[in-house]
Amino acid sequence: MEKETLLLPARDLTADAGSIALAGRILREGGIVAIPTETVYGLAGNALDPGATAKIYAAKGRPSDNPLIVHIQAMEEWAPLVRELPKEAEALAAAFWPGPLTIILPKSALVPDTTSGGLDTVAVRMPADPIARGVIRAAGVPLAAPSANRSGSPSPTTWRHCADDLMGRVDAILQSRDCGVGVESTVLSLCQRGEDGRPVPRLLRPGAVTPDQLREALGTDIVVDRGVLEHLGEGERALSPGMKYRHYAPAAEVTLVKGTTEQYRGYLEKTARPGDWAMCFTEDLPVPGMPACPYGGAADHREQARRLFQLLRELDGRGAERIFVHAPRQDNVGLAVYNRLLRAAAFRVVEPQP
Ligand code: AMP
Ligand code: MG
């Protein structure tokens, strides 16, 4: 599917207005464009045009039962996409939009089945990145935008990652800033109803908006879906089809190592062989037996999230055969980091004995 891919400078809404207008035109005409968002780069296409979404699935090599998130830039663009907007959805949008939260509701007839992966529901988000919003505005249509990587590989947090994966497969790539959040949006479903008739909020994918923040905005508890931290068995249908077994994975074999700095170091010392790399916390340095790249302080989950995917790609570039990652705590944004690492590691987790 070799095609010409335009590289369009897009760091500033005013200075790069020409790039944004051109991206808008390409999208309106059914093309696909990699765009920055605050979470990761997205591969955008007209969410209401099955031809455009088919191009997204093909360029990514993504299974077509994996639904796409629809991106909007103004509140009034939401209602036409869904059957109704419960007050819980409005409260969440007021608290977190624009920002890294995706809300799933029963879909309207406007949303094609190709966008929803055949489901009767639609995931919607309003991104905060000004360039993303400018492109949606220029396109004049809601944009489906899954991560702009080849399916299965680490998500792209710089435009160069998009170019590495998608050059010759998409119409254009916007050359903008590195992503500030670094992991995909929090995904919350409001599709299920409780006995009182109100939606039961269910977290399908953790992200920068944390479970505690969601509880506080809703004034109720939320359900954390089992798929967030567990490997669903064969035949068990993931509510969020993207949360499958191996995902976000570099070419190297990734292992998550739990425990204290002492236990982590002890495990590396026993295990090390040539080709190994440690992806550790700053506090773990120096580690024995292998070269190391810190991905943030043990308590700095936001820094870990920002650097995670970039480092996995970098270690591939350096020829790493095995990567031993010190596992973060599973609270706050750490839950999102742990969730991605678990899949990058295909659920390979070791707990060294004290
Ligand atoms: P990506 O856009 O690549 O970050 O992936 C979107 C994620 O949102 C996937 O993991 C999907 O499983 C999930 N998702 C999108 N739409 C829905 C939906 N209607 N129901 C459940 N999960 C969804
Ligand atoms: Mg993705």
Side-chain angles (χ1 to χ4, degrees):
M1 58 155 72
E2 270 305 297
K3 58 160 95 183
E4 191 198 347
T5 300
L6 300 172
L7 290 176
L8 304 173
R11 293 175 72 84
D12 183 90
L13 264 186
T14 314
D16 300 314
S19 297
I20 291 160
L22 178 54
R25 197 170 77 219
I26 294 171
L27 289 161
R28 221 171 25 252
E29 290 170 358
I32 54 174
V33 180
I35 65 168
T37 83
E38 70 275 23
T39 57
V40 303
Y41 271 73
L43 178 55
N46 180 352
L48 307 181
D49 173 1
T53 49
K55 288 184 195 167
I56 294 177
Y57 286 110
K60 282 178 62 70
R62 178 176 171 120
S64 61
D65 67 345
N66 194 352
L68 307 173
I69 294 172
V70 179
H71 294 70
I72 59 174
Q73 56 89 36
M75 255 343 156
E76 62 268 21
E77 294 166 6
W78 196 10
L81 303 171
V82 295
R83 285 210 286 281
E84 63 167 319
L85 276 182
K87 67 175 197 291
E88 289 81 356
E90 309 224 27
L92 289 167
F96 302 110
W97 282 4
L101 174 68
T102 295
I103 302 171
I104 302 180
L105 286 166
K107 79 176 182 75
S108 75
L110 197 59
V111 180
D113 281 343
T114 44
T115 297
S116 64
L119 300 174
D120 193 29
T121 56
V122 65
V124 180
R125 172 166 110 82
M126 186 190 293
D129 183 283
I131 303 290
R133 297 162 67 79
V135 173
I136 304 169
R137 211 174 307 123
V141 288
L143 298 179
S147 50
N149 52 329
R150 295 299 296 272
S151 194
S153 70
S155 299
T157 56
T158 74
W159 71 262
R160 284 192 181 77
H161 296 159
C162 304
D164 288 344
D165 278 20
L166 298 176
M167 223 38 205
R169 305 177 71 86
V170 301
D171 296 299
I173 294 171
L174 295 189
Q175 298 171 297
S176 192
R177 287 167 217 288
D178 298 356
C179 301
V181 173
V183 293
E184 301 82 349
S185 57
T186 302
V187 176
L188 189 80
S189 171
L190 292 177
C191 297
Q192 209 187 325
R193 295 279 170 163
E195 280 171 11
D196 58 0
R198 303 308 313 166
V200 181
R202 178 179 286 267
L203 180 73
L204 300 186
R205 179 173 75 184
V209 174
T210 66
D212 282 346
Q213 288 177 306
L214 293 169
R215 290 185 186 104
E216 193 183 319
L218 286 162
T220 60
D221 202 5
I222 63 165
V223 180
V224 176
D225 194 72
R226 233 160 47 74
V228 167
L229 288 175
E230 285 176 43
H231 172 212
L232 301 176
E234 286 298 316
E236 264 187 282
R237 175 148 168 71
L239 276 179
S240 179
M243 290 282 96
K244 58 181 187 262
Y245 183 57
R246 188 167 188 270
H247 195 178
Y248 314 117
E253 178 190 280
V254 178
T255 302
L256 262 179
V257 184
K258 289 189 165 176
T260 62
T261 288
E262 262 31 72
Q263 291 168 326
Y264 177 68
R265 284 192 185 136
Y267 181 78
L268 296 192
E269 190 160 27
K270 274 199 330 250
T271 316
R273 64 175 200 225
D276 287 349
W277 279 82
M279 206 169 117
C280 61
F281 300 134
T282 328
E283 296 89 330
D284 298 329
L285 292 169
V287 305
M290 59 182 79
C293 276
Y295 72 115
D300 191 351
H301 295 313
R302 290 193 188 266
E303 174 73 3
Q304 294 161 15
R306 190 157 45 241
R307 293 175 49 76
L308 167 70
F309 287 133
Q310 164 132 25
L311 262 184
L312 289 175
R313 280 180 182 252
E314 212 174 293
L315 292 179
D316 260 352
R318 297 196 194 189
E321 284 166 21
R322 301 192 302 174
I323 303 172
F324 293 93
V325 185
H326 198 168
R329 272 205 330 267
Q330 297 160 41
D331 58 1
N332 296 314
V333 180
L335 183 65
V337 177
Y338 190 89
N339 167 278
R340 304 309 189 278
L341 283 169
L342 207 49
R343 285 162 178 82
F347 288 81
R348 194 177 310 105
V349 183
V350 298
E351 288 189 62
Q353 296 313 307

